[in-house]
Amino acid sequence: MSEERLMSKKKPAYPVNEQLDVYLDHYNRKIEIPIFYEDLLRFAGSVVVYDSNDEDTLWIRVYYSEFDRKEIDISLKKVYSILHSDGSNSIIQYLNVDAVDYCTFGNSKPFRIKVRNILNDNFTYFYVKRADASRIYGLELEHMLSPYNLNFLVYKDTLIEEHIAGIPGDVFIKEFLPKCTESEKAQLAKEFVKFNERCMIRLLGDMRSYNYVIVPTHDFDHVVYKIRAIDFDQQCFEGKLKVYRPQFFKENLLMVELVGDKLLRDSVDQYKLEERSIVAKRILSSGNRIKKLREICRNDVISTPENIEMLKNQIYELTLDMAFKKCKNMGEVLDLALSFVRRNYEDVSMKQIIENKIPGGR
């Protein structure tokens, strides 16, 4: 299936409603920042950014007039301080904005800001984007339901996201995967299965290889690989269930083939079960926070009627749970999908407890 048929041509940005705004304020995600996304669009010109192989990265490096540059520089340094420190001006004198890049490809068209500490030459990135309710739901769900915490800020129509470090999936597949040992390939296959399952459970779509990173960690005498999403624009918007399963994107074909080569069917099923159980545990441990977010999402508009109708029917075909047929919006579909995973986990756990208590139970 081609990408054009699998994905909508363009997803609209959905506004942050009053309930979500209150939620963000309560959990310290809503903080006044000194610059807006629209301010960064005032650039006077740009040059193409090429990678080390002289290939177009689809980012352009923008520059501003002398008057705007001074104001934008100090504002971006303040944003860095708010995002990564205590928000005071004390560290600003040690910071330099090395680059402001603008992505011309994709839906969100973000700005990527490179900030360097002039005392030691360490640098990091953060992103400035238009605030979009579905993206914010995606970020919050990733924060609660994945192994990773996320740092982001929202103020009016602007979203600030920290950089997620790792090797872009498309780069890893092309340049690093062929050099991996057989053991490392088996581990990557396992992680792709778990990543695929996690995306489907929480309805995170469009995980093509350039929308996630591979994170290598050295552990004693070997390297451990993890797969981490970096783009949350397509959180429960699309109607096709396949969009929420990375295995169906052609960019991930080599990873899918790796799973087929390295894992037995029983192992794949085991890793899926492990991931569903881990997500269920995180739902339970997130307590009131995820309950509040799910309630807000149930009363929000983050997709089209056509997509809602299509997805709820396709999930029903997968689960045979009639409750999906009754969903009226995408927030209800998401809420029910998370409830389905949690409920199955609790039912299995209770069954195991009963079997262990009953004489003769195994």
Side-chain angles (χ1 to χ4, degrees):
M1 182 177 289
S2 68
E3 285 175 26
E4 188 171 345
R5 291 173 60 194
L6 189 62
M7 299 276 297
S8 300
K9 289 186 177 179
K10 185 170 178 62
K11 168 191 165 293
Y14 290 96
V16 176
N17 68 20
E18 186 177 348
Q19 286 182 302
L20 183 56
D21 187 67
V22 171
Y23 171 94
L24 293 169
D25 191 29
H26 180 76
Y27 289 104
N28 297 316
R29 299 294 203 189
K30 179 187 172 186
I31 298 176
E32 186 172 346
I33 54 176
I35 195 168
F36 295 102
Y37 177 89
E38 298 295 328
D39 296 329
L40 294 178
L41 291 173
R42 303 200 311 257
F43 54 85
S46 65
V47 293
V48 176
V49 177
Y50 296 96
D51 64 16
S52 57
N53 298 317
D54 290 328
E55 294 182 3
D56 188 348
T57 63
L58 303 177
W59 289 83
I60 57 173
R61 185 147 297 164
V62 301
Y63 56 88
Y64 299 87
S65 68
E66 185 175 349
F67 173 79
D68 283 336
R69 178 73 198 194
K70 186 175 181 180
E71 177 190 352
I72 287 171
D73 263 23
I74 191 68
S75 296
L76 291 174
K77 291 174 186 178
K78 288 180 179 178
V79 169
Y80 175 92
S81 178
I82 294 169
L83 188 66
H84 291 290
S85 187
D86 61 357
S88 70
N89 293 336
S90 59
I91 66 170
I92 287 178
Q93 60 182 315
Y94 306 118
L95 302 177
N96 189 71
V97 178
D98 279 7
V100 177
D101 297 334
Y102 178 60
C103 185
T104 57
F105 173 75
N107 206 38
S108 60
K109 291 185 168 51
F111 285 93
R112 180 178 63 197
I113 317 300
K114 181 180 180 181
V115 178
R116 177 171 54 90
N117 185 312
I118 62 177
L119 296 178
N120 52 36
D121 268 352
N122 284 332
F123 64 87
T124 189
Y125 299 93
F126 66 85
Y127 298 84
V128 181
K129 305 176 181 180
R130 283 194 176 95
D132 173 23
S134 57
R135 176 182 290 275
I136 292 169
Y137 288 124
L139 287 163
E140 274 291 288
L141 288 171
E142 181 75 2
H143 179 76
M144 288 184 273
L145 301 183
S146 82
Y148 314 104
N149 291 330
L150 288 184
N151 189 15
F152 68 91
L153 303 172
V154 181
Y155 183 57
K156 295 185 178 179
D157 61 352
T158 297
L159 170 66
I160 309 292
E161 287 182 34
E162 70 175 349
H163 175 65
I164 298 174
I167 304 169
D170 54 340
V171 174
F172 185 92
I173 290 169
K174 180 181 178 181
E175 299 181 11
F176 293 86
L177 184 58
K179 302 174 186 177
C180 288
T181 66
E182 296 308 305
S183 175
E184 289 171 339
K185 288 178 179 178
Q187 186 203 134
L188 282 161
K190 167 190 171 181
E191 290 303 317
F192 187 77
V193 169
K194 294 169 80 77
F195 178 67
N196 190 76
E197 191 70 10
R198 186 161 69 244
C199 291
M200 184 182 68
I201 289 170
R202 42 77 59 94
L203 299 182
L204 176 62
D206 193 19
M207 282 298 109
R208 285 172 278 189
S209 55
Y210 48 78
N211 285 333
Y212 61 81
V213 292
I214 310 292
V215 184
T217 303
H218 291 267
D219 183 25
F220 293 106
D221 58 348
H222 68 291
V223 179
V224 177
Y225 294 98
K226 298 292 183 182
I227 302 178
R228 185 173 180 184
I230 59 171
D231 192 331
F232 305 93
D233 182 61
Q234 292 288 342
Q235 174 62 52
C236 54
F237 168 76
E238 292 287 350
K240 296 184 179 72
L241 185 57
K242 286 184 176 180
V243 173
Y244 305 103
R245 304 176 75 177
Q247 70 186 79
F248 287 106
F249 288 99
K250 66 179 183 181
E251 291 87 350
N252 297 326
L253 179 60
L254 288 179
M255 297 296 283
V256 174
E257 290 176 346
L258 203 62
V259 173
D261 291 341
K262 295 298 179 183
L263 301 180
L264 298 174
R265 180 72 252 178
D266 286 350
S267 294
V268 171
D269 291 341
Q270 174 197 336
Y271 296 140
K272 286 182 177 181
L273 178 60
E274 285 180 7
E275 194 60 30
R276 286 196 294 269
S277 299
I278 289 171
V279 171
K281 290 175 183 176
R282 291 192 180 115
I283 293 171
L284 292 169
S285 65
S286 295
N288 287 332
R289 182 166 183 162
I290 197 167
K291 289 179 183 176
K292 288 179 182 177
L293 187 73
R294 290 163 63 179
E295 181 181 353
I296 294 166
C297 192
R298 286 198 303 269
N299 296 305
D300 206 347
V301 176
I302 51 174
S303 190
T304 65
E306 297 80 12
N307 285 349
I308 296 162
E309 190 68 21
M310 184 186 302
L311 187 61
K312 73 180 188 181
N313 287 323
Q314 290 188 7
I315 296 181
Y316 164 73
E317 291 172 6
L318 179 68
T319 63
L320 299 180
D321 187 338
M322 280 299 297
F324 283 104
K325 289 273 193 177
K326 301 175 183 176
C327 292
K328 296 181 177 63
N329 59 49
M330 197 60 89
E332 290 184 1
V333 176
L334 172 65
D335 181 59
L336 195 56
L338 296 178
S339 294
F340 184 85
V341 171
R342 188 205 66 212
R343 190 168 62 248
N344 281 358
Y345 169 76
E346 290 176 329
D347 289 347
V348 170
S349 298
M350 183 57 66
K351 181 181 177 183
Q352 289 173 341
I353 292 171
I354 292 171
E355 287 178 346
N356 287 333
K357 285 185 177 180
I358 297 174
R362 292 184 295 175

Coordinates of all heavy atoms in Angstrom, one line a residue, residues 86-120:
D86 N 16.5 26.8 35.7 CA 15.5 27.4 36.6 C 14.8 28.6 36.0 O 14.0 29.3 36.7 CB 16.2 27.8 38.0 CG 17.3 28.8 37.8 OD1 17.6 29.2 36.7 OD2 17.9 29.3 38.8
G87 N 15.1 28.9 34.8 CA 14.4 30.0 34.1 C 15.0 31.4 34.4 O 14.6 32.4 33.9
S88 N 16.1 31.5 35.2 CA 16.7 32.8 35.5 C 17.6 33.2 34.4 O 17.9 32.4 33.5 CB 17.5 32.6 36.8 OG 18.7 31.8 36.6
N89 N 18.1 34.4 34.4 CA 19.0 35.0 33.4 C 20.4 34.7 33.7 O 21.3 35.1 32.9 CB 18.7 36.5 33.3 CG 17.3 36.8 32.7 OD1 16.7 36.0 32.0 ND2 16.8 38.0 33.0
S90 N 20.7 34.1 34.8 CA 22.1 33.9 35.2 C 23.0 33.1 34.2 O 24.2 33.4 34.1 CB 22.2 33.3 36.6 OG 21.6 32.0 36.6
I91 N 22.4 32.2 33.5 CA 23.2 31.4 32.6 C 23.3 31.9 31.2 O 24.0 31.4 30.3 CB 22.7 29.9 32.5 CG1 21.3 29.8 31.9 CG2 22.7 29.3 33.9 CD1 20.9 28.4 31.6
I92 N 22.5 33.0 30.9 CA 22.3 33.5 29.5 C 23.7 34.0 29.0 O 24.0 33.8 27.8 CB 21.3 34.6 29.5 CG1 19.9 33.9 29.6 CG2 21.4 35.4 28.2 CD1 18.7 34.9 29.6
Q93 N 24.5 34.5 29.9 CA 25.8 35.1 29.4 C 26.7 34.0 28.9 O 27.7 34.2 28.2 CB 26.5 35.8 30.5 CG 26.7 35.0 31.8 CD 27.4 35.8 32.9 OE1 28.3 36.6 32.7 NE2 26.8 35.6 34.1
Y94 N 26.5 32.7 29.3 CA 27.3 31.6 28.9 C 26.8 30.8 27.7 O 27.3 29.8 27.3 CB 27.5 30.6 30.0 CG 28.0 31.3 31.3 CD1 27.2 31.3 32.5 CD2 29.2 31.9 31.4 CE1 27.6 31.9 33.6 CE2 29.6 32.6 32.5 CZ 28.8 32.5 33.6 OH 29.3 33.1 34.8
L95 N 25.7 31.3 27.1 CA 25.0 30.6 26.0 C 25.2 31.4 24.7 O 25.3 32.6 24.6 CB 23.5 30.5 26.3 CG 23.1 29.7 27.5 CD1 21.6 29.8 27.7 CD2 23.7 28.3 27.6
N96 N 25.3 30.6 23.6 CA 25.3 31.2 22.3 C 24.3 30.4 21.4 O 24.3 29.2 21.4 CB 26.7 31.1 21.7 CG 26.8 31.9 20.4 OD1 26.8 33.1 20.4 ND2 26.9 31.2 19.3
V97 N 23.5 31.1 20.6 CA 22.6 30.4 19.6 C 23.4 30.3 18.4 O 23.7 31.2 17.6 CB 21.4 31.3 19.4 CG1 20.5 30.6 18.3 CG2 20.6 31.5 20.7
D98 N 23.9 29.0 18.1 CA 24.7 28.7 17.0 C 24.0 28.7 15.7 O 24.5 29.0 14.6 CB 25.5 27.4 17.2 CG 26.7 27.5 18.1 OD1 26.9 28.6 18.6 OD2 27.4 26.5 18.2
A99 N 22.7 28.2 15.7 CA 22.0 28.0 14.5 C 20.5 28.0 14.7 O 20.0 27.5 15.8 CB 22.4 26.7 13.7
V100 N 19.7 28.5 13.8 CA 18.3 28.3 13.8 C 17.9 27.7 12.4 O 18.1 28.3 11.4 CB 17.5 29.7 13.9 CG1 16.0 29.5 13.9 CG2 17.9 30.4 15.2
D101 N 17.4 26.4 12.5 CA 17.1 25.7 11.3 C 15.6 25.5 11.1 O 14.9 25.4 12.2 CB 17.8 24.3 11.3 CG 19.3 24.4 11.2 OD1 19.8 25.5 10.8 OD2 19.9 23.5 11.7
Y102 N 15.1 25.6 9.9 CA 13.7 25.4 9.6 C 13.4 24.2 8.7 O 14.1 24.1 7.7 CB 13.2 26.7 9.0 CG 11.7 26.8 8.6 CD1 10.7 26.6 9.5 CD2 11.4 27.0 7.3 CE1 9.4 26.7 9.2 CE2 10.0 27.1 6.9 CZ 9.0 26.9 7.9 OH 7.7 27.0 7.5
C103 N 12.5 23.4 9.1 CA 12.2 22.2 8.4 C 11.2 22.5 7.3 O 10.0 22.8 7.7 CB 11.8 21.0 9.3 SG 11.6 19.4 8.4
T104 N 11.5 22.3 6.1 CA 10.6 22.5 5.0 C 9.7 21.3 4.6 O 8.9 21.4 3.8 CB 11.3 23.0 3.7 OG1 12.3 22.0 3.4 CG2 12.1 24.3 4.0
F105 N 10.0 20.2 5.3 CA 9.4 18.9 5.0 C 8.5 18.5 6.1 O 8.8 18.7 7.3 CB 10.4 17.8 4.7 CG 9.9 16.4 4.5 CD1 9.2 16.1 3.3 CD2 10.0 15.5 5.5 CE1 8.7 14.8 3.2 CE2 9.5 14.2 5.4 CZ 8.8 13.9 4.2
G106 N 7.4 17.9 5.8 CA 6.5 17.4 6.9 C 5.4 18.3 7.3 O 5.2 19.4 6.6
N107 N 4.7 17.9 8.3 CA 3.4 18.6 8.6 C 3.6 19.8 9.6 O 3.0 20.8 9.4 CB 2.5 17.6 9.3 CG 1.0 18.0 9.1 OD1 0.6 18.5 8.1 ND2 0.2 17.8 10.1
S108 N 4.5 19.6 10.5 CA 4.6 20.6 11.6 C 5.5 21.8 11.3 O 5.5 22.8 11.9 CB 5.0 20.0 12.9 OG 6.3 19.4 12.8
K109 N 6.4 21.6 10.3 CA 7.4 22.7 9.9 C 8.1 23.3 11.2 O 7.9 24.5 11.4 CB 6.7 23.7 9.1 CG 6.4 23.1 7.7 CD 5.8 24.2 6.8 CE 5.7 23.8 5.3 NZ 5.0 22.5 5.2
P110 N 8.8 22.5 11.9 CA 9.4 23.0 13.2 C 10.7 23.9 12.9 O 11.3 23.8 11.8 CB 9.8 21.8 13.9 CG 10.1 20.8 12.8 CD 9.1 21.1 11.7
F111 N 11.0 24.7 13.9 CA 12.4 25.3 14.0 C 13.2 24.5 15.0 O 12.8 24.1 16.0 CB 12.2 26.7 14.5 CG 11.7 27.7 13.4 CD1 10.4 28.0 13.4 CD2 12.6 28.3 12.6 CE1 9.9 28.8 12.4 CE2 12.1 29.2 11.6 CZ 10.7 29.5 11.5
R112 N 14.5 24.2 14.6 CA 15.4 23.5 15.4 C 16.5 24.5 15.9 O 17.2 25.1 15.0 CB 16.1 22.4 14.7 CG 17.1 21.6 15.5 CD 17.6 20.4 14.6 NE 18.4 20.9 13.5 CZ 18.7 20.1 12.4 NH1 18.3 18.9 12.4 NH2 19.3 20.7 11.4
I113 N 16.6 24.7 17.2 CA 17.5 25.7 17.7 C 18.8 25.0 18.3 O 18.6 24.1 19.2 CB 16.8 26.5 18.8 CG1 15.4 26.9 18.4 CG2 17.7 27.7 19.2 CD1 15.3 27.7 17.2
K114 N 19.9 25.4 17.9 CA 21.2 24.8 18.4 C 21.8 25.8 19.4 O 22.1 27.0 19.0 CB 22.2 24.5 17.3 CG 23.5 23.9 17.8 CD 24.4 23.6 16.7 CE 25.8 23.0 17.2 NZ 26.7 22.8 16.0
V115 N 21.9 25.4 20.7 CA 22.4 26.3 21.7 C 23.7 25.7 22.3 O 23.7 24.6 22.6 CB 21.4 26.5 22.9 CG1 22.0 27.4 23.9 CG2 20.1 27.1 22.3
R116 N 24.7 26.6 22.3 CA 26.1 26.1 22.8 C 26.5 26.8 24.1 O 26.3 28.0 24.2 CB 27.1 26.3 21.7 CG 28.5 25.9 22.1 CD 29.4 26.0 20.8 NE 29.3 27.3 20.2 CZ 30.1 28.3 20.5 NH1 31.0 28.3 21.4 NH2 30.0 29.5 19.8
N117 N 27.1 26.1 25.0 CA 27.7 26.6 26.2 C 29.1 27.1 25.8 O 30.0 26.3 25.5 CB 27.7 25.6 27.3 CG 28.2 26.2 28.6 OD1 29.3 26.9 28.6 ND2 27.5 25.9 29.7
I118 N 29.4 28.4 25.8 CA 30.6 28.9 25.4 C 31.8 28.6 26.3 O 33.0 28.7 25.9 CB 30.6 30.4 25.2 CG1 30.3 31.2 26.5 CG2 29.5 30.8 24.1 CD1 30.3 32.7 26.4
L119 N 31.5 28.1 27.5 CA 32.6 27.8 28.4 C 33.3 26.4 28.1 O 34.4 26.2 28.4 CB 32.1 27.8 29.9 CG 31.6 29.1 30.4 CD1 31.0 28.9 31.8 CD2 32.7 30.1 30.4
N120 N 32.4 25.5 27.6 CA 33.0 24.2 27.3 C 32.6 23.6 26.0 O 33.0 22.5 25.6 CB 32.5 23.2 28.4 CG 31.0 23.2 28.6 OD1 30.3 23.4 27.6 ND2 30.5 23.0 29.8

